[in-house]
Amino acid sequence: MYKIEFSKQAEAQFDKLPSDLRNRIFNVLDRIKLRPHHFVKRLVGCSYFSLRVGEYRLILDIQRDKLIIFVLELGHRKNIYKGL
């Protein structure tokens, strides 16, 4: 089973969200711990993945050798891809 870790930026973005959305994101992250590649899409031109949670997207780095899902960034879908 994979372990979930947040970057400092992702943790700050997560804390700013409403509690119902935080619970929804937490439930989705808990569900993908067993087989994350089944639920994510690889981003074009980089090694990161995108996870869809309603209108929000999480940018993930999945490290197979260490069994870690590292949440790099999260935000609304219209803003999240501008920094990549």
Side-chain angles (χ1 to χ4, degrees):
M1 186 180 317
Y2 283 79
K3 180 181 169 188
I4 307 289
E5 293 184 5
F6 283 82
S7 69
K8 291 186 185 224
Q9 180 180 2
E11 197 170 334
Q13 293 167 335
F14 185 76
D15 291 340
K16 291 180 184 178
L17 297 174
S19 64
D20 60 330
L21 185 57
R22 284 195 309 250
N23 289 335
R24 189 171 172 194
I25 290 172
F26 181 75
N27 289 336
V28 170
L29 287 172
D30 193 44
R31 184 175 23 175
I32 71 165
K33 284 182 180 180
L34 291 175
R35 292 184 304 166
H37 293 283
H38 183 72
F39 298 98
V40 297
K41 287 175 65 174
R42 182 176 285 282
L43 294 176
V44 176
C46 68
S47 63
Y48 299 138
F49 296 87
S50 173
L51 175 65
R52 182 175 164 240
V53 182
E55 298 266 321
Y56 283 78
R57 302 293 184 269
L58 283 73
I59 306 299
L60 308 173
D61 182 16
I62 300 175
Q63 301 172 4
R64 284 185 175 187
D65 55 337
K66 298 178 184 176
L67 294 178
I68 294 175
I69 300 172
F70 193 68
V71 181
L72 298 168
E73 198 172 347
L74 61 102
H76 194 274
R77 66 186 179 96
K78 68 179 180 181
N79 300 324
I80 195 69
Y81 299 111
K82 292 180 181 176
L84 298 177

